[in-house]
Every structure is written in C-alpha cells, then in structure tokens.
Amino acid sequence: QTPPPPPPLTGQKGGASWLFSRSKSGQMHRSASEISFLKKWKQLSRLQRSVILFLFAFLAVCGVISYTNVGEQWKSLTNKSSEDQKTEPEIPGLKPANPAVLPAPQKADTNYPELTPQKHPKLLHVRRGPPNLQIRPPRRDVRVKAQNVAGKAEEVPSQADKEEKTEKSIISWRGAVIEPDQSTEPPSSKIKEPEKPSSVEVEDQKEPVPINERQMAVIEAFRHAWKGYKEFAWGHDELKPLSKSYSEWFGLGLTLIDALDTMWILGLKEEFEEARKWVATDLLFDKNVDVNLFESTIRILGGLLSTYHLSGDSLFLEKAKDIGSRLMPAFNTPSKIPYSDVNIGRGTAHPPRWTSDSTVAEVTSIQLEFRELSRLTGDEKFQKAADAVMKHVHSLSGKNDGLVPMFINTNSGQFTHLGVYTLGARADSYYEYLLKQWIQGGKKENELLEDYMKAIEGVKKHLLRKSQPKKLTFVGELAHGHFSAKMDHLVCFLPGTLALGAHNGLTADHMELAKALIETCYQMYAQVETGLSPEIVHFNLHAQKDHKDVEIKPADRHNLLRPETVESLFYLYRFTGDKKYQDWGWEILQNFNKYTLVPSGGYTSINNVQNPSNPEPRDKMESFFLGETLKYMFLLFSDDVDLINLDKYVFNTEAHPLPIWAPA
C-alpha cells in the first residue's frame, strides 16, 4: 500500500511543523527517530492525538503559572528582608522618635501583652507639633528582640484610619490663634462594640534604652510602698503603714486601682498581673455602700479607663462600664447638678447630710471620664449628663471675671456662698477641666476655652500678688473683696495647666506665668525645714527682718504626700527641657524618702514639716501617692517625650491618662 503524503510544513490543521528541524542551508531534514515517531503518530486516531495535544498544552500552562507564583513569592521575601534592614537605625538616637501602637483590646481571659521598655533618649526634643507616640510600657531590659517589634507592627491601623482631616476654622481668643483639631463624631445612643484603645501609625520602632538612675529610684520607692500595701492592706482602700493595717473609705481597693496604670508605665509586670487578678475576681460594685461621686470617678472610673487604654485588656473597660452606670443616679436632681454621694448598690443618691450643696470642683471635674466612657461604649447618656453640668455652669451668674464660687445648690442649680474665690480646695479642678475638656474634644468646644481664658484673666486681676523678700509670684484668695495671701498646695496644679495651655496654642504669657508660679511652688518646699511643703502657706506681702516669703501656721503644717508640685514640674520640664525642674523633683523625692518612708513598707503623711527630728507621722498613705505623685516623678525624670505623649493623651485630675479624641 502506498504511504500517505507528508504532512504540511505550516501550522495547518493536522500538521506537525514543530517535528522538523531546519539546517543552516535552509533545507528540511528528517532524522530516523522523527520518521519513526511520525509513523506512530499517524497510526493514532484523531481523538487520541487531540487528547495528547491538549495534555501537553495544559502542562505547559500549569508550568507558566507555577513559575510566576514562585517568582512573586521569592521577590516579596527578598524585598521584605531588605526593608527590614532599612528600618534599623544605623546609630541609635539619631533618628527622631518613632511612633508605636497601643495593643488592641483583649478579652478578660486572655494573656495581656508583654511589658516592654520605653526608650528614653539622652536629649529632650521639645516639639510643638504632633510628636510620634511611643506608649509601650518600660522595663529595665536594655534591648528587645526583633520578633517583639515585628509583633507590634502587625497592629498598625490601615492607611485609611491614619488619615486625618484638617479643620479650616480658626479660633481667636485674646491674641491666641488656635487651629481646632478634628474631633470624633458625637457618640451614638445605640450601644456598639467597645472601641479599641487609641492607636497611631507605626513606621518603625526606636531602640529601647535603659531606665535612668532617678527613674530606678522612683521604681524602688513604688515597690517599697507596694510592699506595705500588699502585706498589710491588700484589697483595701488605704494603707496605715505604722500600725501595719488599713483604712476603708469606699471598700473598693482605691490604692490598688489608682496604682494600676502607674505599674504599667513603670514596667512592673508582676505587680500589675497580681493586681489585675484581684480586679477580675474581687472588685465587685454590687454592694450597699455610699461613694463620693467625684472621688470614685477620678480614681476608680479614671483608673480603669486609663488602664484599659494602656494595656488593651477589656476587663478594665467592663469594670469601668459597671461603675460608670452605678454612678449615674447622682445626676437625678431637679437642676441636673449631681449629688455628691451615690449608693452604688441601691442605685440612690443624696447630698451631704448637712447641706444640699455640692462643691463646684466636684461637679465640674468628672467630665473627662464620663465623656470617654460614652466614646468607648457608644452610650451617650454618660456624656450628656456630664456636658449638661458644664453648659449650666457656663450660663450662671455669680462669677467674678471668670472666677467661680466654691458651692452650687443641687436643687436650684445656683451658686451659693457668693463672693469667695479660690484656686484651692473646692474650686481648683474646675479650671483644670475647662482646658482639658477642650483639648480632649479636639479644641472645638469654644465655650470651654472661653471660660478658661476668662478665668485666667480673673486670676491675674484679682488673685495674683508678689511676696517679700524674694518677690515670688503666688495665687491668693478673695473673700468679699478682701485679699488673703493664703495659698493651698493644691494650687500648684496651676503652673502645669498653664504650660499645657501654652503648648496647645494659647498665649505665650501663660507659659511665663507658669514658670513664675512653679518657682513659688518649689520655694514652698525649699524654705521649709524638712524640704517638704505644708498643706497651706501664707505669703509675706511686706518685707520683714528675718522673715522668709513663706509663713506656716501650726494647723497647716502637715504634708499628705501630694502630687501637684511634681505634676507641674513634669509639664514644665516636658515643654521647656530645663533640667532644673528635674533637680527640684529629685530633691522632693529624697525628702519623701528621708522623712516619710516607713521601714516595714509604705510611706506616711506627716503632721509637722517644720520638725526634721520628729515630723510626727500620721499613719496614712493616700492612694494618690502611688496613683499620682510617683507616676509624675517617673515621667519627670524621663527624657522621652513619647512616654505618655502630651499631644496624644490628657491626664485627668488623678493623673490617669486618657486619649485625646483627635490629636493634632
């Protein structure tokens, strides 16, 4: 039988041009193996040949796809490795502070994140813009493994979440030009999932450095105080270090809750974990007990909210929602000015037994906490109740150039005891919270700024004087037109508040006044025999031979381990970088150790700051010594502006940092 003709050389149907090779001369040649293969190929049916060709094509396509995928993965791994190398600073300390991210909130039964060191650069960089945030808590390790840094980087928010809108409007007030920050939307009345703790973008992590010697001294002081509390007063409100016992105020572990965020910031992991277990198992608010609205808000609610933001542990938010809800009956008054006391078990509230008045400072210094609780929970009732108080006080008559009286009636909603004005007890934190609410809300609530600026002008006009012989600037009191040269230690919050306002764009003379007043507060320590300030001083307005600027009356010479001067030293150092403020704080810490430390554990208030040989210990350690005084000491001695960044956080009046809703 005659063989079939050869197949066409082109790619025609049925052809196999790829079976032939071309010689250099251009002629076609067939090898023996090719001819044999061609015969076998022709013997196959058309269906069989089609199947074979299809399989070859399918394998070829699969090969191309596999090669592409492997290549892309190899490329991404190579790029990631090179980028990781780029993020490591060649010389630590030369790059600007880099932002970190707060851990995402965890469920109550999960492990909380590892406490890692804060970086403390050798030089302080004072910045008016938005510095980066480094909020991871410090510990005493010198280095952290790269894996920990990579773990933190996974929590970076999306780029869309990072972007912030700019605010076009400008507020002008007595020469101050402030660009308002973009605030968050008002909380919805609908309950929503709790917001995650505040976070900011991360580009790369900065190298941690060891905690310095002065900060280590603060840690040692805290541990000594905690040793006494743990051994003699665990789970109770306050330690009585001399009698090795405890005292109760509300029966809610005030010292422990007040100290939670301090332990986190100081990097005391073991102590924090032990306290957290107590909160989880033993902190119960369903009890028949009267609590003071103001004190329980700033210490308990503020402490729980702050610890939630720093640790990300949702246990603390759940406890905050519980106590916040139980405090709400205080606002059920004819005027909406809250009662001073609440029974958190029965859900009832009442004024003090002797009066229907509340103090102005107490009803106007709960707003930071209740506003933040609304933001986190989505339940607007907390913020509505707190804001209504501020709006009411804003509209009241009876002020004197922005200065407010000390009392307000819960029935009528009017100021009482008119004509007495002070920045000390019963009025102090009203002025502090005007500024801090304005900052917290993104600098958009102009009524708050207006009231604050008017009040500072009122202070300058009516309460500011200079002492003799050193001409110290101080803030006195006004009673029915008569000036008194009396100044509470509580007033020493004012230099820090003024500096914070100046840092946020208010007039520069506020910073100058802050510097003058912090000098005075320091002299309230330095001119006293123990180097510790009394509760109240009187300043000499006229030069007298052998008399100092500061005079102390026998009833006023006690020291309660208060934080206000150290607090203002922290703000002044953070914003100016002047080392003298650190040195002044160091002197105060040494004198606390010398005259108030109890060897068996704890520190004690003293009755007589003028008697170094016998300061007359009072056998009481206030919760704010751990919650405020030692916390501000630790922050004062740090040179890291990102250790609780003041462009990202605002402190409540008990030194619990809460996030600014829309930081610049």
Side-chain angles (χ1 to χ4, degrees):
Q1 185 175 359
T2 306
L9 298 180
T10 65
Q12 298 174 6
K13 186 175 181 180
S17 60
W18 53 276
L19 293 174
F20 297 91
S21 60
R22 183 181 295 271
S23 67
K24 290 183 180 179
S25 62
Q27 296 178 339
M28 297 294 180
H29 300 276
R30 297 178 182 173
S31 65
S33 60
E34 289 173 343
I35 294 172
S36 174
F37 177 81
L38 185 59
K39 288 180 178 180
K40 292 180 180 180
W41 175 259
K42 283 297 182 179
Q43 292 173 359
L44 298 176
S45 68
R46 175 169 298 186
L47 176 60
Q48 289 174 323
R49 285 181 290 181
S50 298
V51 169
I52 293 173
L53 289 174
F54 173 80
L55 288 175
F56 272 106
F58 177 79
L59 291 175
V61 171
C62 290
V64 172
I65 293 174
S66 299
Y67 175 81
T68 303
N69 289 340
V70 171
E72 288 178 353
Q73 291 178 4
W74 176 258
K75 183 178 180 181
S76 65
L77 289 173
T78 306
N79 291 342
K80 182 176 180 181
S81 175
S82 61
E83 288 174 3
D84 288 343
Q85 294 176 356
K86 292 178 182 178
T87 58
E88 298 179 4
E90 296 180 2
I91 304 176
L94 288 186
K95 285 195 174 184
N98 297 308
V101 63
L102 289 168
Q106 303 175 355
K107 296 181 180 179
D109 57 351
T110 58
N111 296 326
Y112 21 92
E114 178 79 4
L115 298 180
T116 52
Q118 275 293 338
K119 182 176 180 179
H120 302 274
K122 294 182 179 180
L123 297 178
L124 175 67
H125 301 282
V126 181
R127 290 177 281 180
R128 292 295 297 275
N132 299 315
L133 176 64
Q134 175 75 21
I135 198 61
R136 291 182 302 151
R139 68 180 183 211
R140 290 180 302 284
D141 304 36
V142 178
R143 292 188 175 274
V144 176
K145 293 182 179 180
Q147 289 87 342
N148 294 341
V149 175
K152 289 289 183 183
E154 293 177 0
E155 299 172 2
V156 181
S158 64
Q159 183 64 32
D161 293 331
K162 299 175 194 173
E163 295 179 356
E164 297 176 353
K165 297 180 181 180
T166 58
E167 183 67 27
K168 295 182 179 179
S169 61
I170 294 178
I171 304 171
S172 179
W173 174 259
R174 293 184 179 271
V177 178
I178 304 103
E179 296 181 359
D181 298 332
Q182 182 68 33
S183 65
T184 58
E185 292 295 323
S188 169
S189 58
K190 181 180 178 181
I191 301 296
K192 62 179 181 181
E193 289 297 317
E195 281 200 16
K196 293 183 179 181
S198 332
S199 59
V200 290
E201 58 186 290
V202 174
E203 293 175 1
D204 52 310
Q205 300 289 350
K206 54 181 184 175
E207 285 288 320
V209 298
I211 291 172
N212 62 50
E213 291 183 5
R214 289 181 174 181
Q215 288 178 290
M216 284 301 303
V218 177
I219 292 175
E220 291 173 7
F222 184 96
R223 281 185 164 146
H224 183 78
W226 193 250
K227 172 180 177 290
Y229 177 75
K230 180 180 176 182
E231 188 169 350
F232 307 121
W234 182 253
H236 298 285
D237 284 343
E238 293 169 330
L239 168 67
K240 298 177 71 174
L242 296 177
S243 58
K244 300 180 181 179
S245 61
Y246 59 85
S247 61
E248 294 286 36
W249 190 2
F250 307 144
L252 297 173
L254 284 183
T255 294
L256 187 148
I257 297 175
D258 236 357
L260 284 169
D261 56 3
T262 303
M263 289 184 279
W264 184 272
I265 291 169
L266 269 59
L268 301 178
K269 179 182 178 181
E270 291 182 6
E271 291 86 347
F272 180 86
E273 289 179 345
E274 193 170 21
R276 190 248 182 218
K277 290 177 183 176
W278 183 89
V279 172
T281 59
D282 297 311
L283 180 59
L284 303 174
F285 297 123
D286 186 15
K287 54 174 58 179
N288 181 17
V289 60
D290 280 359
V291 303
N292 177 272
L293 171 66
F294 166 71
E295 297 290 353
S296 54
T297 297
I298 65 172
R299 300 189 196 210
I300 301 175
L301 179 57
L304 292 170
L305 289 172
S306 171
T307 306
Y308 165 66
H309 279 292
L310 295 179
S311 70
D313 191 334
S314 61
L315 165 69
F316 301 107
L317 179 58
E318 292 304 314
K319 294 292 184 179
K321 286 191 289 187
D322 190 5
I323 185 63
S325 297
R326 293 176 183 274
L327 294 174
M328 287 302 291
F331 294 93
N332 295 332
T333 69
S335 65
K336 304 304 180 184
I337 298 298
Y339 290 127
S340 61
D341 297 286
V342 188
N343 187 300
I344 56 175
R346 295 180 176 176
T348 59
H350 58 86
R353 290 186 298 272
W354 58 89
T355 179
S356 60
D357 290 348
S358 291
T359 65
V360 171
E362 290 189 356
V363 303
T364 58
S365 303
I366 55 178
Q367 281 68 24
L368 290 178
E369 298 83 359
F370 277 99
R371 285 154 54 106
E372 178 61 14
L373 187 58
S374 275
R375 190 179 76 89
L376 290 174
T377 64
D379 190 342
E380 64 183 359
K381 69 180 180 183
F382 305 110
Q383 179 167 357
K384 274 188 173 181
D387 284 350
V389 177
M390 298 307 300
K391 286 181 170 59
H392 180 79
V393 172
H394 172 77
S395 66
L396 283 180
S397 59
K399 299 176 186 174
N400 186 3
D401 292 320
L403 303 178
V404 295
M406 295 187 291
F407 298 96
I408 187 169
N409 189 272
T410 54
N411 293 320
S412 67
Q414 299 298 310
F415 289 129
T416 60
H417 302 80
L418 301 179
V420 180
Y421 305 99
T422 177
L423 262 71
R426 299 189 175 91
D428 50 353
S429 49
Y430 160 74
Y431 304 101
E432 175 188 358
Y433 268 39
L434 287 175
L435 176 70
K436 289 183 174 180
Q437 287 176 82
W438 177 70
I439 293 172
Q440 179 194 47
K443 304 180 184 177
K444 304 190 79 171
E445 297 158 288
N446 294 351
E447 284 185 355
L448 297 169
L449 176 62
E450 177 185 344
D451 287 348
Y452 175 75
M453 296 297 288
K454 282 183 179 178
I456 299 305
E457 293 304 310
V459 169
K460 294 178 184 177
K461 181 177 179 181
H462 299 291
L463 304 183
L464 217 56
R465 298 287 191 280
K466 289 186 181 294
S467 68
Q468 296 294 335
K470 289 193 173 182
K471 300 187 182 303
L472 300 175
T473 301
F474 70 94
V475 178
E477 297 181 353
L478 193 65
H480 308 292
H482 299 286
F483 180 81
S484 169
K486 168 181 174 289
M487 179 169 162
D488 294 357
H489 184 275
L490 289 168
V491 180
C492 286
F493 84 92
L494 185 58
T497 299
L498 288 167
L500 180 63
H503 175 74
N504 279 277
L506 304 188
T507 54
D509 66 306
H510 284 203
M511 181 62 81
E512 297 308 310
L513 180 55
K515 292 177 181 178
L517 287 173
I518 193 59
E519 168 75 29
T520 303
C521 291
Y522 167 67
Q523 289 299 325
M524 289 167 62
Y525 287 77
Q527 293 192 19
V528 181
E529 287 79 357
T530 59
L532 295 175
S533 172
E535 182 73 355
I536 299 171
V537 301
H538 289 76
F539 287 93
N540 286 313
L541 293 174
H542 307 287
Q544 302 178 55
K545 187 178 181 181
D546 298 327
H547 279 255
K548 300 177 181 178
D549 297 74
V550 174
E551 296 284 350
I552 305 171
K553 296 184 178 181
D556 303 331
R557 60 190 183 187
H558 51 286
N559 180 290
L560 303 182
L561 310 175
R562 286 200 183 275
E564 287 79 20
T565 293
V566 178
E567 171 186 359
S568 286
L569 288 172
F570 158 63
Y571 282 107
L572 266 294
Y573 179 67
R574 179 67 66 92
F575 296 142
T576 70
D578 192 333
K579 293 285 187 181
K580 73 179 180 183
Y581 300 124
Q582 287 185 324
D583 295 338
W584 292 353
W586 181 243
E587 290 177 23
I588 294 171
L589 178 60
Q590 289 178 307
N591 290 326
F592 276 139
N593 284 331
K594 186 174 183 180
Y595 296 108
T596 72
L597 183 146
V598 179
S600 58
Y603 289 73
T604 180
S605 305
I606 57 177
N607 272 325
N608 191 348
V609 296
Q610 294 179 299
N611 188 348
S613 61
N614 181 22
E616 303 173 22
R618 299 178 67 152
D619 194 22
K620 184 175 183 180
M621 184 177 76
E622 301 277 357
S623 77
F624 53 66
F625 181 65
L626 300 184
E628 298 188 73
T629 308
L630 293 182
K631 182 187 297 163
Y632 281 130
M633 283 278 189
F634 187 82
L635 294 172
L636 166 64
F637 298 144
S638 170
D639 283 339
D640 186 359
V641 297
D642 291 322
L643 181 58
I644 309 299
N645 188 313
L646 294 177
D647 289 309
K648 307 293 182 184
Y649 286 86
V650 60
F651 284 94
N652 84 337
T653 196
E654 190 75 8
H656 298 305
L658 300 173
I660 296 170
W661 294 348

